[in-house]
Amino acid sequence: MQDTSRNHKFNVVFEMILYIICAVSIIYFGVTGNYGKSFQAGLIIFVLLLFRGLITWTKSELPQALRFSVLIFITITMMLANLFNMYAVIPYLDKIEHLLSGVILFFAGQFIIVKMAKRKGLGSLPSNIIIWFSLFFSVAMAGMWEIYEFTVDHLFGLKSQNGSLPDTMFDIICGTMGAVFASFYLLIKNKEKRNK
């Protein structure tokens, strides 16, 4: 219980630091005339608020490890990679991000379906249903992310997708592969439990 409380406090502090960095970035890039970067920092704040709002609206007690993973993913993808141009420094960073996102979204899907089953009083669902739902959820979210990037690029003149269909497809493939790896991991864990 104490560890959970400590992890919750850590996540809150970490999230506040992200807000501060984004606020400073908005001011700095605005003063230097780089309005595109200011807008990107504003988008990060919007995504953080949306994430927090969804948790509050759905009254979900998100596992602290999953919440931290989401915050780290937002930090890497939106802040370090896009806002601070780390794509130019770390090779294939974009593909690594999408691979990791597939894993994170798989476990987010698992959390969602287990939570829904408990709310409906269904008890524990068969593991194959949980795995299939989580896999499809992760793949769907990979597609939704690309739709978001496409929309933002075309509305605001950003270059998240590098204007490239192959880049978009490789991103979706990487996200799907991450979800498939997570599926096999959960399948193996379930088999180990049954054998015990």
Side-chain angles (χ1 to χ4, degrees):
M1 185 74 175
Q2 193 174 4
D3 284 344
T4 304
S5 176
R6 190 179 302 149
N7 290 339
H8 174 71
K9 286 178 183 175
F10 177 81
N11 282 338
V12 170
V13 170
F14 183 60
E15 188 176 345
M16 289 302 116
I17 290 169
L18 295 182
Y19 284 120
I20 292 166
I21 293 171
C22 287
V24 170
S25 297
I26 289 171
I27 295 166
Y28 172 77
F29 288 122
V31 168
T32 57
N34 195 339
Y35 302 115
K37 291 288 185 184
S38 285
F39 181 75
Q40 282 183 331
L43 274 180
I44 297 170
I45 291 175
F46 173 76
V47 170
L48 288 169
L49 290 172
L50 182 64
F51 176 56
R52 179 175 276 273
L54 282 172
I55 293 171
T56 305
W57 178 57
T58 57
K59 298 176 182 175
S60 299
E61 289 186 24
L62 207 63
Q64 294 305 315
L66 182 56
R67 185 170 186 164
F68 177 71
S69 298
V70 171
L71 291 174
I72 282 289
F73 187 74
I74 291 170
T75 303
I76 293 170
T77 56
M78 297 187 76
M79 185 176 288
L80 296 180
N82 280 325
L83 191 61
F84 299 126
N85 297 323
M86 292 301 287
Y87 284 125
V89 178
I90 304 171
Y92 303 109
L93 177 60
D94 183 52
K95 305 311 170 215
I96 294 167
E97 291 167 356
H98 284 280
L99 196 67
L100 291 174
S101 75
V103 175
I104 293 169
L105 287 168
F106 177 88
F107 289 108
Q110 180 189 11
F111 169 76
I112 289 167
I113 193 169
V114 168
K115 187 85 172 174
M116 285 169 58
K118 283 182 181 176
R119 281 191 180 175
K120 297 294 182 182
L122 298 175
S124 60
L125 293 172
S127 60
N128 61 336
I129 291 176
I130 293 171
I131 290 171
W132 280 113
F133 175 86
S134 303
L135 176 65
F136 291 142
F137 175 83
S138 182
V139 173
M141 289 300 103
M144 287 297 295
W145 180 259
E146 293 305 315
I147 291 170
Y148 160 79
E149 284 189 344
F150 175 84
T151 304
V152 169
D153 283 1
H154 281 73
L155 287 178
F156 305 110
L158 302 177
K159 295 181 181 179
S160 304
Q161 295 183 313
N162 299 319
S164 165
L165 178 60
D167 179 73
T168 299
M169 292 310 300
F170 277 123
D171 289 349
I172 292 174
I173 290 167
C174 286
T176 301
M177 291 307 298
V180 169
F181 292 147
S183 300
F184 279 115
Y185 169 78
L186 199 59
L187 196 62
I188 291 165
K189 294 297 279 184
N190 287 337
K191 280 187 179 178
E192 286 176 357
K193 280 182 184 176
R194 282 194 212 114
N195 291 337
K196 286 179 182 178

